[in-house]
Amino acid sequence: MGADRALPEACLMTLWFVFALMTVAAIFAVLWPLGRGGRAERQDTENQGSEVAVYKDQLAEIERDLAIGLIAAPEAEAARVEIGRRLLAAAGSETAPAPRSNLKWRRAAAVLALVGLPLVAIAVYMPLGSPRLQDFPLAQRDRAPGMAQSLENLVVQVEQHLEKNPTDGRGWNVLAPVLERLGRYDDAVRAYRNSLTYNGESAERRSDLGEALTATAGGVVTAEAKTEFERAHALNAEDPKANYFLGLAAEQDGRKDDAANIWRALLAKAPADAPWRPLVQSSLARVGGGSTAPALSDETMAAAKDMNEGDRGAMIRGMVERLANRLKQNGDDVDGWLRLVRAYLVMGDRDKAMGASTDARQAVANDAERLRQLNEGLKNLGLDG
Amino acid sequence: MIAESGHYALVLALGLALIQSFVPLIGARLRDPALMNVARSAALAQLLFVGASFTALVMLHVTSDFSVANVYENSHSMKPLIYKITGVWGNHEGSMLLWVSILALFGGLVAIFGNNLPLSLRAHVLAVQAWIASAFYLFILMTSNPFLRIANPPIEGRDLNPVLQDIGLAVHPPMLYLGYVGFSISFSFAIAALIEGGIDAAWARWVRPWTLVAWIFLTLGIAMGSYWAYYELGWGGWWFWDPVENASLMPWLAGTALLHSALVMEKRNALKVWTILLSILTFSLSLLGTFLVRSGVITSVHAFANDPTRGVFILLILCLFIGGSLSLFAGRATALKQGGLFAPISREGALVLNNLLLTVACAVVLFGTLYPLAMEVLADFKMSVGAPFYNLSFVPLFALLLLAVPFGPMLAWKRGDLLGVTQRLLAAGVAGLVAVAIAWGWARGGSALAPLAIGLGIFVIAGAVTDLAERTGLFRLPFAATLHRARGLPRSAWGTAFAHAGLGVALIGIVCETTWNSEYIATMKQNDVAHVAGYDLKLDGLFQRQGPNFREMIAEFNVSRNGEALSTMTPSKRSFTTRGSSTTEAALLTRGASQLYISLGDVTAEGAVAVRIYHKPFVLLIWWGPVLMAFGGMLSLSDRRLRVGAPKPARAKQRLQPAE
């Protein structure tokens, strides 16, 4: 895409030509007064204001005011005397400065304009500007081939449509999972909520919303998410997603037996070819197999590192990655940042941990309270700014 | 091409400003008219290039070119056109570009209309303007560049902060900046005078109108901002003593003082050194305001410390210009010739008193603004200085000032007669006392000071009227003669009267609003009726509507008084999807100068809505006052006459003689 947008050579030439024209105009502005004839200069010098001229005008003004009757004769007289005094003083001290033309300095100024101006302009512009990028107004982009097909563009089109027709429940239904896949969990949550509002209650939609909420929390089944799963469960006790996440919630709460029971029941009722079977089985193995810590806790991370099992390691890395992505989009979450830093530390990736803590500081820099919390948390983790 | 050309134009403006900073100064030293004239053409070219740069940014916003980072971060393709344009200065980078554009505009105006200035003065003034301009061009290019690009542009922008998506943004910042930056002219004139080592009558004649222009815009800008906050933030408050507001109030106070001292200087050739100092201080406060607002130091000292590039840069500019100009002042002020003498009781004396009170009031606000910051830096202790502090410090000072206002214009130049003026103001005083009595009898509850303050407001207004009556000879001369005199009266005299009356009007509005406003906060269901200050407001229902880039929930209220239906009011709450935030659009019903104000809170699960209803008596006077002041300023500005303060001869009769 970047290649499409680089300027063709002809356009680049035009741009440099425009720059050159502008530079010439700027130089001309400096050279013009230097090159004007002596007569124009003398005229300027003669026309310039002076103290004496102002006082003379003021004297005339007093006469006018007196004629209209704005001031009385004695006052006019007093004012005349005072201004007269000032006029005399000014006329005495005012030695009209004779204009002198100084050819040497004029030449220096001309050289400054001819050489200095373009040099400064280029020296400042080159590191800052992007002369190779062409304009990209929206009207032009809709017609750009290739762009129209991209997933993001489609999403934007659907979003724009929904902005105008917010009650289109089907649209929200289509949009929500796509947003979730794109990692825009917050938007996905909103889309699922709208879908619920306009399509009505269903266990599936409730548990989808719960899943999105869990994703925004970086894989933790929050109280809010849990409520959604419970509602889904109430609507349909068989809903596999609700059951799975209720189990996960129990695991994260430390109730590993409850988790195991829920998952066992889920597996018992599951069709043999259900695509989520392996996931539930491995989860069950996790709680059954002894490592019962909440997701993304130090122990889980350590366990994952020791065992180095392909599946679990990938899952945890995926979770960490998702958390990192989410924080990149919305950096307000201090706890999230701390969780991320800790995850990197446990995974033994100190560089990434340092990088994440720097990002975190930048992200919450505008909020003193959050910054303080973050710094304390980082100190506890043994990372000092 | 537009983006890069705009960027390059800004760079060229920097180059021109650098040349304009030095060449004219050398020219003035060598008395070479050609070198001095470089200032004029360079200033005009600068205006051209900055104008082009600003236009380019506007075009990029209008066409939603998200390959420009500034557009991506602050615009949205669905935004209405007007907000696409106003959004240009609704963000840091764009607003700084507007700042320099206005600076260049003022420089260009001096270049165009400065033909009757002494050549060397014009050269110096424009060179100083160019110093300021260079500093800010560098600031923009290095730390806040609005033309930075994104190689792979996103398809949609992040939208403008919804609170700013209002017509207020179209008017308020440009007005305010015209005011802030306008004071740079008097600053440049002051520095030029210090460099040249003398102030002459031409200097004074020039500075006052420029100061007046800046003052008019600043007055309107502040009033507009206050009204905007009043209807947009949904709390019905119009002034919060917030650091950002103080940042605009301080230059206003100093600028008002400057306006009055420049008057003395123009008419009487006195107070020269003080006027120079005030010019420097006023613009320094404008710069300080820019620093406070733009560096993020207000939100939090820590945020500032975390991303210090911008803040430190502005702080550097601040120190350079304020420190530099004050040291120059300290070194050169003694060399300035002292001007005309005057007795303590005289128009000049009154203006000195005015200056004294205004600068002390300004210092109080400065203290209140900076003290919390200092505490946060030094003691790591967050505090805020609010209304109680200003009520005890700023308000008494201003009451004193207002008490003195009617006396000022009635005192004669050079030596005045306080007793005579007091006698002539007797009628105004009586009017004030009657107002106190009426307010006392009529008021229910509220502060005991409120009726007194209303009396003061009436006294100020009546004083302005008395001044006009005295000058035109109303009641003293035949009506035809009065009319003739009124026509001959300088427009500046009318301007003074209007501006001073505006103060009284605003004061009455402020007192009435703060003392007798009534509020009603409740959760209302459909068909509930609220009773506020004799009005009945019935909630007819809630419904949804789709705007261009937001959804809104509208509540419809039927307003009636004594069973007689008056109007419907429709406050709303807008939610903006892109930023995921919402704004409250208050509904206002104006009845004379009073207003009913409804703003919506959240909707509860049962479909009831939280509502805040206020009745604000005479609230509009708060803004009519400043408008009146600005109108007075414009009258005075339109007065192209020269200004001579004719002194009364020592033994002359006190009364004006009939002219015929």
Side-chain angles (χ1 to χ4, degrees):
Chain A
M1 198 166 71
D4 295 340
R5 301 194 42 252
L7 274 180
E9 282 307 308
C11 284
L12 197 59
M13 286 304 291
T14 323
L15 183 69
W16 285 117
F17 183 65
V18 170
F19 282 10
L21 272 185
M22 286 163 73
T23 317
V24 168
I27 293 173
F28 176 75
V30 182
L31 291 188
W32 183 65
L34 294 176
R36 283 201 316 166
R39 207 172 51 178
E41 267 171 30
R42 264 195 301 285
Q43 216 165 25
D44 270 0
T45 323
E46 278 157 20
N47 285 346
Q48 69 174 320
S50 73
E51 202 167 4
V52 174
V54 175
Y55 291 137
K56 280 182 182 154
D57 287 349
Q58 284 188 341
L59 281 176
E61 181 89 9
I62 290 173
E63 298 307 322
R64 266 202 305 278
D65 279 0
L66 186 62
I68 304 174
L70 278 175
I71 51 175
E75 285 161 24
E77 189 49 42
R80 241 184 252 132
V81 169
E82 219 179 278
I83 295 169
R85 263 205 304 273
R86 285 183 215 159
L87 181 60
L88 279 177
S93 67
E94 196 166 83
T95 46
R100 291 181 305 198
S101 63
N102 190 315
L103 216 54
K104 196 178 73 188
W105 279 97
R106 284 189 192 186
R107 286 215 184 102
V111 171
L112 187 67
L114 279 167
V115 182
L117 196 60
L119 274 184
V120 166
I122 294 298
V124 175
Y125 175 76
M126 282 319 283
L128 295 173
S130 321
R132 295 198 152 263
L133 286 186
Q134 70 184 56
D135 284 343
F136 222 39
L138 202 67
Q140 212 176 307
R141 299 171 65 151
D142 291 343
R143 279 181 269 116
M147 287 294 286
Q149 302 313 316
S150 84
L151 182 61
E152 286 189 20
N153 202 18
L154 283 174
V155 169
V156 167
Q157 278 172 11
V158 175
E159 280 182 317
Q160 286 177 350
H161 163 78
L162 287 171
E163 190 100 43
K164 279 184 229 150
N165 310 291
T167 54
D168 178 359
R170 243 170 38 116
W172 290 116
N173 228 3
V174 171
L175 182 65
V178 182
L179 288 174
E180 198 172 351
R181 208 164 311 144
L182 287 174
R184 291 169 57 187
Y185 302 124
D186 290 329
D187 295 332
V189 167
R190 198 168 329 138
Y192 277 127
R193 285 230 164 93
N194 283 325
S195 170
L196 270 166
T197 314
Y198 301 117
N199 292 322
E201 288 279 319
S202 93
E204 215 173 296
R205 284 194 268 276
R206 281 285 169 200
S207 49
D208 282 344
L209 173 59
E211 188 185 15
L213 282 167
T214 309
T216 59
V220 174
V221 184
T222 56
E224 197 185 3
K226 200 175 159 198
T227 316
E228 298 301 332
F229 293 126
E230 276 161 357
R231 278 186 193 158
H233 187 76
L235 288 167
N236 173 12
E238 310 279 285
D239 186 65
K241 196 178 268 177
N243 279 310
Y244 168 71
F245 276 99
L246 284 173
L248 190 63
E251 185 200 351
Q252 289 176 356
D253 289 347
R255 296 178 284 118
K256 56 182 175 180
D257 293 343
D258 291 357
N261 286 339
I262 292 172
W263 284 334
R264 230 172 264 131
L266 180 58
L267 283 172
K269 284 181 204 158
D273 57 344
W276 38 264
R277 248 192 121 90
L279 174 69
V280 180
Q281 273 162 347
S282 72
S283 304
L284 186 58
R286 188 169 67 224
V287 286
S291 60
T292 56
L296 269 185
S297 74
D298 300 1
E299 289 89 338
T300 320
M301 304 296 302
K305 195 183 157 215
D306 290 342
M307 286 182 257
N308 207 10
E309 274 175 25
D311 267 4
R312 201 164 308 155
M315 188 188 88
I316 285 169
R317 263 195 296 281
M319 271 182 168
V320 172
E321 217 161 87
R322 252 189 301 159
L323 179 58
N325 272 337
R326 184 174 63 76
L327 289 169
K328 209 173 281 170
Q329 280 159 7
N330 175 17
D332 288 347
D333 179 5
V334 173
D335 288 339
W337 281 113
L338 291 172
R339 217 159 43 228
L340 182 67
V341 172
R342 192 169 52 216
Y344 282 137
L345 282 176
V346 173
M347 282 159 78
D349 201 338
R350 201 175 165 82
D351 285 348
K352 272 197 174 167
M354 295 294 286
S357 57
T358 316
D359 289 348
R361 284 212 180 88
Q362 261 166 20
V364 299
N366 288 326
D367 188 325
E369 178 55 24
R370 288 210 176 101
L371 188 65
R372 199 185 49 73
Q373 284 174 4
L374 179 74
N375 282 334
E376 266 171 24
L378 288 176
K379 212 177 271 175
N380 290 339
L381 289 172
L383 280 182
D384 266 272
Chain B
M1 190 110 113
I2 295 177
E4 296 307 314
S5 308
H7 197 170
Y8 189 69
L10 192 62
V11 173
L12 274 180
L14 168 69
L16 281 166
L18 288 173
I19 288 184
Q20 191 188 328
S21 301
F22 299 108
V23 173
L25 286 185
I26 298 169
R29 181 65 29 104
L30 300 171
R31 291 209 212 103
D32 184 326
L35 286 174
M36 287 195 269
N37 273 333
V38 167
R40 185 171 55 174
S41 56
L44 287 172
Q46 224 193 94
L47 173 61
L48 184 77
F49 284 116
V50 179
S53 183
F54 187 74
T55 314
L57 191 62
V58 172
M59 281 165 74
L60 292 171
H61 271 262
V62 168
T63 56
S64 295
D65 188 335
F66 297 125
S67 71
V68 177
N70 181 259
V71 181
Y72 161 66
E73 276 158 16
N74 301 291
S75 196
H76 190 281
S77 61
M78 307 288 290
K79 212 162 57 164
L81 180 65
I82 168 102
Y83 300 145
K84 280 185 183 167
I85 297 173
T86 59
V88 172
W89 54 84
N91 61 81
H92 171 78
E93 290 84 0
S95 78
M96 287 315 297
L97 190 60
L98 178 68
W99 206 98
V100 288
S101 306
I102 291 176
L103 189 69
L105 175 70
F106 276 107
L109 288 178
V110 173
I112 294 171
F113 297 110
N115 284 333
N116 54 354
L117 277 175
L119 262 185
S120 70
L121 180 60
R122 189 175 71 196
H124 277 119
V125 168
L126 287 175
V128 177
Q129 283 287 112
W131 297 349
I132 305 169
S134 310
F136 277 93
Y137 290 141
L138 273 176
F139 172 70
I140 292 179
L141 287 168
M142 297 304 150
T143 73
S144 329
N145 197 324
F147 291 106
L148 293 184
R149 308 290 296 275
I150 303 173
N152 290 314
I155 195 81
E156 190 49 274
R158 289 214 200 133
D159 207 353
L160 182 68
N161 182 352
V163 173
L164 298 179
Q165 294 194 25
D166 184 272
I167 194 70
L169 183 67
V171 192
H172 170 61
M175 286 260 185
L176 208 58
Y177 280 8
L178 279 166
Y180 269 2
V181 180
F183 285 124
S184 72
I185 297 287
S186 41
F187 173 81
S188 298
F189 267 88
I191 299 298
L194 287 174
I195 296 176
E196 287 203 314
I199 316 173
D200 58 18
W203 191 94
R205 197 176 158 191
W206 253 79
V207 168
R208 201 196 47 87
W210 286 105
T211 314
L212 194 54
V213 169
W215 180 88
I216 290 171
F217 280 116
L218 193 57
T219 307
L220 288 175
I222 294 176
M224 176 74 218
S226 149
Y227 189 65
W228 187 18
Y230 166 74
Y231 74 73
E232 180 71 27
L233 295 184
W235 285 101
W238 45 269
W239 191 263
F240 302 92
W241 293 110
D242 167 90
V244 179
E245 287 168 330
N246 291 348
S248 62
L249 183 64
M250 288 185 287
W252 187 84
L253 291 169
T256 311
L258 173 62
L259 199 64
H260 289 90
S261 81
L263 197 75
V264 179
M265 177 142 174
E266 185 179 15
K267 288 197 165 187
R268 298 283 308 147
N269 217 11
L271 295 187
K272 285 180 179 176
V273 179
W274 173 240
T275 306
I276 297 259
L277 181 62
L278 266 183
S279 306
I280 294 176
L281 288 181
T282 306
F283 186 61
S284 300
L285 288 167
S286 295
L287 284 181
L288 180 72
T290 310
F291 166 71
L292 287 176
V293 176
R294 287 284 144 229
S295 66
V297 72
I298 285 171
T299 356
S300 156
V301 174
H302 299 289
F304 168 65
N306 268 285
D307 181 19
T309 1
R310 282 177 182 172
V312 167
F313 204 120
I314 303 192
L315 199 60
L316 222 68
I317 296 180
L318 202 68
C319 293
L320 197 72
F321 280 99
I322 300 181
S325 55
L326 287 180
S327 354
L328 189 66
F329 177 78
R332 301 298 288 270
T334 43
L336 297 175
K337 265 187 297 180
Q338 283 295 338
L341 299 170
F342 53 87
I345 305 243
S346 62
R347 184 89 69 92
E348 292 96 320
L351 288 165
V352 169
L353 179 69
N354 147 308
N355 273 227
L356 216 61
L357 288 170
L358 280 170
T359 37
V360 174
C362 183
V364 164
V365 178
L366 184 68
F367 177 78
T369 311
L370 294 186
Y371 184 68
L373 288 179
M375 286 307 281
E376 202 184 338
V377 172
L378 300 177
D380 203 21
F381 162 65
K382 214 161 163 105
M383 62 174 293
S384 65
V385 171
F389 167 76
Y390 294 101
N391 284 346
L392 281 177
S393 52
F394 183 83
V395 170
L397 278 170
F398 235 75
L400 206 60
L401 178 65
L402 287 175
L403 205 59
V405 157
F407 289 89
M410 300 187 75
L411 282 167
W413 289 103
K414 205 164 179 183
R415 57 187 83 77
D417 172 14
L418 191 59
L419 195 66
V421 172
T422 315
Q423 280 165 357
R424 278 178 287 161
L425 277 174
L426 212 56
V430 169
L433 286 177
V434 169
V436 172
I438 292 175
W440 215 299
W442 182 75
R444 288 149 291 155
S447 163
L449 287 176
L452 288 179
I454 288 186
L456 180 59
I458 296 286
F459 174 61
V460 172
I461 299 172
V465 175
T466 313
D467 183 34
L468 283 181
E470 281 285 331
R471 279 167 196 256
T472 53
L474 191 67
F475 307 127
R476 209 155 32 75
L477 299 175
F479 189 67
T482 302
L483 215 59
H484 177 73
R485 281 184 147 214
R487 229 177 285 126
L489 204 63
R491 279 199 290 274
S492 61
W494 288 97
T496 307
F498 273 110
H500 286 177
L503 273 175
V505 170
L507 175 69
I508 294 174
I510 292 170
V511 172
C512 288
E513 195 277 332
T514 46
T515 315
W516 292 295
N517 96 68
S518 32
E519 67 177 13
Y520 173 91
I521 301 177
T523 313
M524 291 177 77
K525 289 202 199 72
Q526 193 161 5
N527 294 328
D528 278 359
V529 181
H531 307 279
V532 181
Y535 293 91
D536 302 317
L537 299 104
K538 179 159 148 278
L539 178 61
D540 273 355
L542 295 169
F543 48 94
Q544 302 276 337
R545 193 169 64 187
Q546 180 65 30
N549 54 342
F550 57 85
R551 239 171 308 133
E552 81 184 324
M553 182 196 69
I554 300 178
E556 198 179 279
F557 284 88
N558 255 317
V559 185
S560 57
R561 194 184 172 99
N562 303 330
E564 178 197 352
L566 290 175
S567 170
T568 45
M569 292 173 76
T570 51
S572 68
K573 230 179 138 75
R574 293 179 177 173
S575 23
F576 291 75
T577 330
T578 315
R579 289 236 172 183
S581 57
S582 59
T583 62
T584 6
E585 301 291 314
L588 300 171
L589 176 66
T590 306
R591 304 268 296 159
S594 310
Q595 282 191 326
L596 267 177
Y597 182 114
I598 311 181
S599 86
L600 296 182
D602 292 324
V603 179
T604 64
E606 296 84 49
V609 62
V611 193
R612 287 192 298 276
I613 304 175
Y614 303 93
H615 176 254
K616 298 187 167 285
F618 296 108
V619 67
L620 285 179
L621 294 185
I622 297 175
W623 301 290
W624 287 353
V627 169
L628 214 55
M629 285 186 233
F631 176 68
M634 278 182 245
L635 275 182
S636 177
L637 190 67
S638 74
D639 189 354
R640 298 292 305 144
R641 298 158 19 109
L642 294 150
R643 280 125 209 276
V644 191
K648 291 218 155 79
R651 276 163 284 116
K653 290 175 221 158
Q654 290 305 331
R655 293 252 161 147
L656 288 179
Q657 299 296 321
E660 282 78 15

